[in-house]
Amino acid sequence: MFTPHSDYDVEVMLKSIGIEKLEDLFKEIPERFRFPGLNLPPRMTEMEASDELESIAASNGTTKDMLSFLGAGAYDHYIPAAVDMLLRRGEFYTAYTPYQPEISQGTLQAIFEYQSLICTLTGMDVSNASHYDGATAAAEAVILAWHHFRGKRGKVLVSRAVNPQYRQVIRTYMQATDNLTIAGDDAETGLDPNLDKFIAQIDNNTALVLVQYPDFFGRIVDYRPLIEAAHAQGALVAVAVNPTALGILTPPGEIGADIVVGEGQPLGIPLSFGGPYLGLFAVKEPLLRKIAGRIVGETVDVEGQLAYVLTLTAREQHIRRDKATSNICSNQGLMTLASAIYLTLLGKEGFRKLSNLCYQKAHYAAGEVSEVPGFSLAFPDQPFYHEFVVRAEQPVDEVLEHLRGHDILGGYDLGEDYPELKGCLLMAVTEKINKADIDYLKGALSEVDHD
Amino acid sequence: MLFPKDLKYQKTDEWVKVENGIATIGISDYAQDSLSDIVYVEFAVDPGDSVEAGANLATIESVKAAAEVLFPVSGTVLEINEGLADKPEILNSDPYGAAWLVKVKVADETELAGLLDSEAYEAYCQER
Amino acid sequence: MTEPTVFQLSSPGRHGFDVPASDVPDFTLPESFVRQDLPLPEMSELDVVRHFTHLSQKNYAIDLGFYPLGSCTMKYNPKINEVTSRLSGFANTHPLQPLDTVQGNLYLMYTLQEWLKEISGFAGVTLMPAAGAHGELTGMLIIQKYHKDRGDIKRKRILIPDSAHGTNPASSAMIGMEIVPLSSDARGNVDLEALKALCDENLAGLMLTNPNTLGLFDEHVEQVIQLVHAAGGLVYGDGANLNALLGIVRPGDLGFDVMHFNLHKTFSTPHGGGGPGSGPVAVCQKLVDFLPDPVISVVEAGTEEVAPLYGYAHPAKSIGRVKTYHGHFGMLVRAFTYIAMHGTDGLRDIAEKAVLNANYMMHRLKSTYTLSYDRTCMHEFVLEGVWKDLPGIHALDIAKRLMDYKFHPPTNYFPLIVHEALMIEPTETESLDTLDAFCDALLKIAEEARTQPELLHDAPHNTPVRRCDELKAAKDLVLCCYPLEELQK
């Protein structure tokens, strides 16, 4: 397929090596296992493969042919044409990790700009060059805190209003760390946005407190009292963000967060059934040496010309090996470029406007939906960003089924993750949704049968 | 390469000087030379900690490498050299003087017998 | 020519992408949450496009030239992959959509799982891990939980060959395992005597890369695996070097218990300047229950008229979730396309040509450069970038000089067990002309090392920037563009 060798080439090469046939290269393979015939479909040409993949793709229903209010950690935003056009440049996407800075200045400067843009957005001092996604970034924050206190503080508090998948991933990562308890996200501590019961659990054995902003339910919470309480006990605070919200909301860096993590997918990255996405990770200066993952720094070359290089590499796995605090090697490379282009294209005014537009449309939708008999807002008095929780009298699966009949993906059923929110639906609204779409949703909901 | 005679050494490249039951510990000239330009020191202990010989004292990072510094003796940490935080490069320029790492109250002076003297350590460095 | 940063190119009031006007009434955000200042750059769309296009022109890439990077498998990234992964039917699906709306995606993932099982000889596969290192973490968690589940909690020791990639010990250390290095013998195999001495009731497992980072297939691989199994341990296979084995031998058949794949190496998904990768993990039958939750499965068997219904299964003793959603779906589509286009014969052809290319180069170079191990290599080989009689020349100098010849250097200073290592992996997509040109360059450089060493010491000369001051980068940390307000002064 992509092997260019002619028969003549192979002949020349075999002769140069001094062997008779290709099979002779594999004499060290145990004979009885050598050359297994693999049971795979016959090979296809590019044309046939293209047909096949198109057919598979066409069998899906998408956010293009259905009106979607699905959020819960991944959001359907418009991606400007210039983003993908630039990403398709072979110089970017077929490039390797920039270990040889002399021939990787494009990648390195793009990452440096990405780091700077994330710092600007989050109000933090230093960003790394990305983690895999929001959940693994959150897990790395927990690891950072654990090592920061050298294992002397054994508790990490995670709010129940943090994305359930993030909390699962944190527990997977930390399952082998004895002497560490992950707590605070039980039903008893609950979902109260004033956080009293949660804050009461912060003590001098707490290494890290993790909250989400806006939280998993779209609610905007004032974390200043929590941050104060945590710092009074010497604990670190990590805030998991939705970057779009930071266009209009006070960034966590300005209210005292020590670490910011988050999911960068909304910044110019397609939904793509869950990946590849972008793990944001930024810290305040005192924690800079503890950060995992690659970091790009500025320097000069031998002629005094400005240049960018990977720096602080002594922290990483290829040097520290078993003493590295993280094993991360590949990160999300091209996705950082996508988000840097996106943020630059939208710019100061555009990003603020976009962020605001999501806020406005979500509030209109929440108002309209709550006017429909049988539907109410679960947290009516809580400010929210672009997601909100709707309580339905009818079982949620029936509501969703009904909406499907109108080609609407109504949202995320919260009942499985949150028994206390059985009967509730999480709906997200982005700039792609029109007033007409929301009115259409309202019409469809009004038809839901209430006995 | 310098191997001051009044110090004791470990094969892991630390030096120790004991006076009145207090051990001052640092890294040798050989160590700083192998690491090359040192950019950061991260201490693994705080004053007041009890430590065992062989435990991790600090991690020293250079541009291309990182190395663990290990306690040659057991005892209680009295002081760590905070000055190194701003000027880690003095580990390269003055490893036996201004760039001492920690002072430890020695628990058991008999542990010192297992350490190398200047000649033995120098010989060891030459065959590496 | 330095390209300014986006912050330096910014000018107040400049205007890029147009956001549509609001078509809904106004709602006010509570004052206490309102962001005061958002100093993002302000540029026109044209200026943004020019800026990033300029940046791209400073990069080396596979589309421009040869990357003989050992253990990276920098093969051609087929353009068709970029088309199929972007199909609207894939790109516009939300990960939480109802099952019946994403049967295409689930079919693709299930089929890819089955193909990877077949290629590697294993019983179960997860597509969730985001990269090779992530796959290693997943695989090691599986091994750890397997022992714990059997009450065998004493087993904390992981043996790792001294030639291993740094992610191997890092992944094991992350989960609290005790790492014991394992030495190699004179022929580059695992030292059997050393291994025997470490096989006891504390052994959790061995992490083995085969072929290893020297490009050598372990001549005793079956015995190595049997020794570990006999002691009650499990064997993890680092699949970074799978390119040499496609259709040649299956790690599962050799006895490996778990392995990870690097789709961005073996299966042609692009490196993207450092990612995204994808690191699926395959396991033998007894480890299937420990896979991350969820895996893609058939929830309702198909009939002659009706296709199977695909959905999510929850392994009974799962280690848990290792990332959000299902994995790097966009990369899975690319790998699926690639495997579909190759089939059995095509995959074997990849391995044969990859190994042929490496051996050809090795033979052309071995009389000028010291070959650490004079054996048939697999898809890569290691040379020493030093000559005893030229003490001033190091592998780094050779690597930098290669850039003047318009080649990306091979991997240097890895594996750690070879002095001044240069690890070369051509891959199967390079033609004889390219291989010859690279070998010619290396031979010329060997000559230059003798006659004009300053050419090596000062290299590279013709690249966008020259050798960089990495000490300054580490000491005078500048990790962020200056704040906009400062720039505007």
Side-chain angles (χ1 to χ4, degrees):
Chain A
M1 195 98 268
F2 301 107
T3 53
H5 307 66
S6 65
D7 292 336
Y8 176 70
D9 291 334
V10 175
E11 225 183 277
V12 164
M13 294 169 82
L14 288 174
K15 198 153 162 220
S16 168
I17 296 169
I19 57 176
E20 294 268 311
K21 49 196 193 313
L22 285 170
E23 285 82 351
D24 293 346
L25 291 166
F26 299 103
K27 290 191 171 135
E28 287 161 349
I29 315 289
E31 204 176 334
R32 69 194 190 290
F33 296 131
R34 213 185 294 163
F35 309 133
L38 301 176
N39 183 16
L40 295 170
R43 66 202 295 180
M44 293 183 187
T45 60
E46 179 179 310
M47 196 172 85
E48 291 161 323
S50 177
D51 264 350
E52 171 76 3
L53 269 299
E54 280 188 24
S55 159
I56 297 172
S59 73
N60 289 329
T62 70
T63 58
K64 281 229 177 298
D65 36 49
M66 292 181 286
L67 176 59
S68 173
F69 294 91
L70 270 172
Y75 303 92
D76 188 19
H77 289 282
Y78 178 76
I79 300 174
V83 176
D84 193 52
M85 290 305 289
L86 288 163
L87 247 46
R88 280 174 182 256
R89 292 187 70 86
E91 298 95 325
F92 279 134
Y93 85 90
T94 72
Y96 182 59
T97 309
Y99 289 127
Q100 301 289 351
E102 299 90 338
I103 50 180
S104 315
Q105 287 299 296
T107 298
L108 287 163
Q109 185 169 339
I111 297 174
F112 185 77
E113 292 176 0
Y114 160 81
Q115 287 170 194
S116 310
L117 291 162
I118 297 303
C119 286
T120 303
L121 201 56
T122 58
M124 304 299 279
D125 298 333
V126 183
S127 163
N128 73 1
S130 74
H131 280 298
Y132 309 131
D133 67 0
T136 53
E140 293 276 3
V142 171
I143 293 172
L144 185 156
W146 169 254
H147 284 286
H148 179 69
F149 292 103
R150 300 199 202 108
K152 291 180 188 167
R153 288 197 179 212
K155 188 163 73 178
V156 166
L157 283 174
V158 181
S159 160
R160 191 173 171 73
V162 167
N163 186 323
Q165 291 197 5
Y166 286 28
R167 292 185 280 120
Q168 286 164 25
V169 170
I170 289 170
R171 286 190 162 90
T172 303
Y173 268 59
M174 307 315 288
Q175 67 188 275
T177 309
D178 308 318
N179 314 325
L180 177 68
T181 319
I182 314 283
D185 59 338
D186 54 298
E188 168 57 32
T189 309
L191 298 171
D192 188 351
N194 85 5
L195 298 167
D196 288 341
K197 284 190 185 169
F198 185 69
I199 292 176
Q201 294 174 55
I202 304 175
D203 57 19
N204 61 9
N205 187 39
T206 307
L208 181 78
V209 180
L210 172 66
V211 291
Q212 191 172 325
Y213 178 72
D215 71 12
F216 185 63
F217 310 107
R219 303 179 306 181
I220 308 169
V221 173
D222 181 5
Y223 289 121
R224 275 176 281 228
L226 175 138
I227 293 175
E228 228 178 270
H231 286 166
Q233 295 286 358
L236 295 173
V237 177
V239 179
V241 297
N242 177 327
T244 312
L246 298 183
I248 58 172
L249 295 185
T250 308
E254 280 179 31
I255 58 167
D258 302 293
I259 304 170
V260 169
V261 297
E263 179 50 68
Q265 174 272 327
L267 303 176
I269 296 166
L271 287 171
S272 196
F273 202 51
Y277 285 173
L278 174 62
L280 310 175
F281 195 97
V283 298
K284 286 287 169 66
E285 208 261 343
L287 293 177
L288 132 73
R289 303 268 175 186
K290 312 274 168 116
I291 227 178
R294 297 181 187 132
I295 304 186
V296 173
E298 200 186 276
T299 186
V300 291
D301 75 355
V302 292
E303 287 175 345
Q305 205 191 169
L306 185 72
Y308 298 95
V309 291
L310 291 175
T311 191
L312 297 182
T313 50
R315 303 158 298 122
E316 293 187 67
Q317 49 77 26
H318 57 292
I319 294 185
R320 296 305 301 277
R321 297 176 69 89
D322 60 316
K323 300 287 195 300
T325 53
S326 169
N327 68 349
I328 188 165
C329 186
S330 289
N331 51 18
Q332 297 305 94
L334 204 67
M335 306 294 105
T336 67
L337 178 63
S339 66
I341 297 170
Y342 178 86
L343 284 169
T344 318
L345 273 173
L346 264 72
K348 174 176 179 169
E349 273 316 301
F351 192 67
R352 195 191 52 75
K353 276 190 185 151
L354 182 95
S355 177
N356 188 46
L357 201 54
C358 296
Y359 180 85
Q360 301 301 327
K361 297 200 188 222
H363 282 72
Y364 177 69
E368 294 300 287
V369 168
S370 57
E371 278 179 10
V372 179
F375 296 96
S376 59
L377 295 181
F379 307 111
D381 304 316
Q382 190 66 25
F384 62 94
Y385 177 57
H386 72 350
E387 269 180 302
F388 51 92
V389 180
V390 174
R391 191 176 288 283
E393 274 171 23
Q394 205 76 352
V396 171
D397 55 346
E398 283 175 31
V399 173
L400 290 174
E401 174 90 27
H402 175 82
L403 290 175
R404 280 291 305 282
H406 290 266
D407 281 330
I408 301 174
L409 293 172
Y412 182 65
D413 183 349
L414 289 167
E416 243 191 78
D417 296 323
Y418 295 94
E420 69 267 47
L421 293 178
K422 192 162 146 72
C424 293
L425 185 62
L426 180 64
M427 302 185 75
V429 181
T430 69
E431 77 283 3
K432 284 177 86 169
I433 290 180
N434 301 323
K435 180 172 181 295
D437 294 327
I438 297 168
D439 296 340
Y440 178 69
L441 168 72
K442 184 178 185 179
L445 284 174
S446 309
E447 291 170 10
V448 169
D449 203 5
H450 302 285
D451 298 315
Chain B
M1 197 134 306
L2 299 169
F3 300 90
K5 300 250 179 263
D6 59 330
L7 304 175
K8 294 274 195 194
Y9 302 83
Q10 283 200 120
K11 282 188 175 173
T12 46
D13 304 315
E14 295 86 4
W15 59 261
V16 194
K17 180 175 180 151
V18 182
E19 273 171 340
N20 303 322
I22 296 179
T24 307
I25 302 164
I27 61 164
S28 68
D29 195 17
Y30 183 92
Q32 72 75 19
D33 186 66
S34 316
L35 279 167
S36 185
D37 305 293
I38 292 169
V39 295
Y40 187 63
V41 181
E42 187 183 348
F43 287 97
V45 292
D46 299 302
D49 285 350
S50 283
V51 294
E52 298 277 309
N56 197 357
L57 190 162
T59 304
I60 297 185
E61 284 179 23
S62 67
V63 176
K64 291 292 196 196
E68 251 74 52
V69 183
L70 306 176
F71 280 101
V73 291
S74 312
T76 314
V77 178
L78 294 173
E79 212 184 322
I80 61 177
N81 188 350
E82 306 276 9
L84 291 175
D86 293 322
K87 290 185 142 301
E89 61 271 19
I90 60 174
L91 277 156
N92 293 116
S93 56
D94 193 6
Y96 296 113
W100 59 272
L101 287 166
V102 294
K103 294 192 203 278
V104 170
K105 182 159 155 57
V106 181
D108 178 6
E109 296 225 5
T110 62
E111 278 180 339
L112 297 167
L115 300 172
L116 303 170
D117 65 17
S118 166
E119 270 136 40
Y121 178 61
E122 183 169 358
Y124 171 65
C125 288
Q126 263 156 20
E127 68 189 48
R128 282 159 101 166
Chain C
M1 264 246 37
T2 311
E3 172 72 19
T5 67
V6 289
F7 289 88
Q8 290 167 320
L9 291 167
S10 167
S11 189
R14 289 268 165 83
H15 177 70
F17 178 80
D18 272 329
V19 176
S22 175
D23 56 355
V24 298
D26 234 19
F27 297 85
T28 318
L29 178 64
E31 188 59 40
S32 58
F33 293 115
V34 172
R35 182 171 191 142
Q36 296 307 314
D37 202 21
L38 180 65
L40 288 174
E42 297 172 87
M43 291 170 69
S44 72
E45 180 168 328
L46 175 56
D47 286 342
V48 173
V49 170
R50 282 198 180 135
H51 171 70
F52 286 100
T53 304
H54 291 160
L55 289 187
S56 76
Q57 292 174 331
K58 297 186 180 209
N59 265 3
Y60 191 83
I62 296 179
D63 280 3
L64 290 170
F66 186 36
Y67 264 97
L69 282 167
S71 275
C72 293
T73 314
M74 298 294 287
K75 64 173 76 183
Y76 172 62
N77 305 133
K79 302 309 171 204
I80 184 63
N81 288 350
E82 298 312 304
V83 172
T84 56
S85 57
R86 285 171 165 83
L87 289 169
S88 177
F90 293 136
N92 291 309
T93 48
H94 188 287
L96 299 173
Q97 279 182 220
L99 287 188
D100 67 302
T101 64
V102 289
Q103 285 297 300
N105 292 347
L106 296 171
Y107 161 77
L108 187 147
M109 290 178 74
Y110 181 79
T111 308
L112 181 62
Q113 283 174 187
E114 294 298 295
W115 286 352
L116 290 175
K117 279 156 68 174
E118 178 65 15
I119 288 167
S120 58
F122 284 98
V125 165
T126 171
L127 301 174
M128 203 190 281
H134 204 210
E136 287 176 34
L137 180 70
T138 303
M140 296 316 290
L141 279 170
I142 289 174
I143 290 179
Q144 188 181 63
K145 188 156 189 186
Y146 170 81
H147 290 305
K148 193 162 172 204
D149 184 60
R150 299 170 75 245
D152 216 346
I153 52 175
K154 260 195 319 178
R155 292 185 184 272
K156 286 197 171 291
R157 211 171 270 166
I158 297 288
L159 307 180
I160 302 184
D162 45 17
S163 56
H165 191 269
T167 50
N168 286 184
S171 302
S172 293
M174 261 176 102
I175 59 172
M177 304 301 272
E178 188 199 311
I179 288 118
V180 177
L182 192 54
S183 48
S184 315
D185 68 13
R187 287 182 60 77
N189 303 311
V190 164
D191 182 337
L192 282 175
E193 292 314 306
L195 174 61
K196 280 177 191 161
L198 292 164
C199 284
D200 62 20
E201 70 277 1
N202 295 314
L203 182 64
L206 164 71
M207 291 183 87
L208 186 66
T209 310
N210 190 47
N212 62 18
T213 59
L214 303 166
L216 304 172
F217 192 90
D218 196 304
E219 289 166 311
H220 314 117
V221 66
E222 289 192 273
Q223 202 179 347
V224 167
I225 294 175
Q226 276 154 19
L227 281 167
V228 175
H229 284 164
L234 295 177
V235 182
Y236 180 90
D238 181 324
N241 291 334
L242 191 64
N243 211 40
L245 304 184
L246 295 170
I248 306 296
V249 69
R250 308 193 312 170
D253 292 342
L254 293 172
F256 284 88
D257 298 294
V258 48
M259 73 171 272
H260 79 267
F261 304 85
N262 296 78
L263 298 188
H264 48 294
K265 297 186 183 189
T266 319
F267 296 98
S268 86
T269 77
H271 278 78
S278 179
V281 169
V283 294
C284 63
Q285 188 57 52
K286 66 175 183 263
L287 297 179
V288 163
D289 283 341
F290 298 91
L291 286 170
D293 185 345
V295 284
I296 314 302
S297 69
V298 174
V299 296
E300 263 171 47
T303 63
E304 279 197 16
E305 292 94 52
V306 177
L309 183 70
Y310 298 97
Y312 307 113
H314 308 286
K317 301 179 181 178
S318 174
I319 57 165
R321 180 178 268 295
V322 296
K323 76 176 292 297
T324 48
Y325 311 123
H326 321 303
H328 281 177
F329 183 73
M331 316 322 281
L332 302 178
V333 175
R334 290 170 171 91
F336 180 96
T337 309
Y338 187 73
I339 297 172
M341 280 174 48
H342 282 82
T344 309
D345 298 336
L347 292 179
R348 178 167 160 174
D349 181 53
I350 290 170
E352 285 176 340
K353 300 296 167 42
V355 175
L356 177 68
N357 280 2
N359 278 281
Y360 175 77
M361 291 178 77
M362 188 176 78
H363 277 264
R364 278 208 59 192
L365 296 168
K366 69 190 236 191
S367 41
T368 311
Y369 287 83
T370 307
L371 193 61
S372 317
Y373 298 87
D374 199 353
R375 283 177 50 185
T376 305
C377 65
M378 297 234 78
H379 64 311
E380 65 191 5
F381 60 98
V382 184
L383 301 174
E384 290 178 24
V386 277
W387 293 275
K388 283 211 174 72
D389 58 336
L390 296 176
I393 301 289
H394 298 282
L396 182 71
D397 304 310
I398 299 168
K400 297 298 183 191
R401 182 63 179 149
L402 272 165
M403 290 191 244
D404 286 334
Y405 285 86
K406 299 269 181 280
F407 291 113
H408 191 284
T411 310
N412 39 339
Y413 300 104
F414 180 78
L416 302 174
I417 57 172
V418 174
H419 185 48
E420 301 281 336
L422 288 168
M423 192 186 358
I424 295 172
E425 177 185 356
T427 83
E428 74 286 359
T429 55
E430 300 294 339
S431 67
L432 186 51
D433 302 333
T434 307
L435 304 185
D436 278 333
F438 183 78
C439 291
D440 291 342
L442 268 181
L443 294 172
K444 185 101 202 329
I445 291 171
E447 236 181 79
E448 288 173 354
R450 275 171 205 292
T451 56
Q452 297 175 274
E454 66 284 358
L455 282 177
L456 277 69
H457 290 132
D458 297 338
H461 302 88
N462 313 319
T463 49
V465 300
R466 300 188 58 196
R467 280 207 211 192
C468 298
D469 189 344
E470 300 196 355
L471 174 59
K472 179 176 163 61
K475 284 186 64 177
D476 305 331
L477 288 173
V478 178
L479 306 175
C480 205
C481 300
Y482 297 111
L484 215 49
E485 307 86 68
E486 277 200 34
L487 283 177
Q488 282 164 353
K489 283 181 197 150

